[in-house]
Amino acid sequence: MSAADPHLQAALDQARKSLSEGGIPIGSVLVHEGKIIGRGHNCRVQTGSAIDHGEMNCLRNAGRLPAQVYQRCTIYSTLSPCPMCSGAIVLYKIPRVVVGENRTFLGAEDYLRANGVQVEVRQDAECIQLMTDFIRDRPELWNEDIGV
């Protein structure tokens, strides 16, 4: 079972939702002052959009927010954010990222840290298993998602 963190669990729920829709199981939530204000999951398959990654989908679903809100948020992602999603995190000055795991994919964590973002990697067993199973079962879809 996953860590007791309800926000990481909410991101995992989003990842499972994507998988149930035939998509890539990556989920994300945006948390402001302890409350989830945005939820999203990778929807590249579902929407046919090359940029509809979990974190991007979460930010879109959170809606247009004042800069000071982003600056007091934490974004949770079941998987280490790719360079595109990391760029959005830096752009909106989100100060903290909680990563479910980075064993199956190491995103742009060094870039995030170099830009002052606190990155906490949990190595959550459920996140690791979800991606390990997906990569094994759908390697062609995974490779497409990461640009291989």
Side-chain angles (χ1 to χ4, degrees):
M1 193 64 190
S2 174
D5 185 326
H7 299 130
L8 185 56
Q9 189 60 53
L12 263 163
D13 292 345
Q14 287 293 308
R16 282 193 214 90
K17 180 177 181 186
S18 183
L19 187 62
S20 75
E21 296 169 351
I24 298 157
I26 302 166
S28 182
V29 295
L30 186 65
V31 177
H32 178 258
E33 298 177 352
K35 180 178 180 239
I36 295 173
I37 61 170
R39 298 172 194 264
H41 54 278
N42 188 304
C43 288
R44 288 185 70 250
V45 172
Q46 298 92 315
T47 64
S49 169
I51 62 171
D52 214 348
H53 281 197
E55 299 89 344
M56 301 296 277
N57 186 260
C58 174
L59 290 170
R60 185 182 74 220
N61 291 338
R64 185 175 163 195
L65 300 168
Q68 62 268 28
V69 172
Y70 293 113
Q71 293 166 16
R72 294 194 314 269
C73 282
T74 296
I75 192 163
Y76 287 73
S77 181
T78 57
L79 188 65
S80 184
C82 77
M84 174 181 64
C85 296
S86 294
I89 291 164
V90 169
L91 176 67
Y92 290 106
K93 297 179 176 58
I94 297 169
R96 182 170 177 249
V97 180
V98 176
V99 176
E101 66 102 352
N102 66 5
R103 290 188 188 161
T104 62
F105 177 79
L106 178 60
E109 292 177 19
D110 288 343
Y111 170 77
L112 288 166
R113 289 184 183 102
N115 282 278
V117 178
Q118 177 191 346
V119 179
E120 179 184 329
V121 182
R122 298 276 175 88
Q123 302 302 16
D124 179 81
E126 198 171 347
C127 291
I128 294 167
Q129 191 65 56
L130 188 63
M131 284 310 299
T132 301
D133 291 350
F134 179 76
I135 292 166
R136 180 197 65 221
D137 296 343
R138 298 294 309 273
E140 74 295 342
L141 192 52
W142 172 241
N143 289 337
E144 174 191 319
D145 194 60
I146 59 171
V148 174

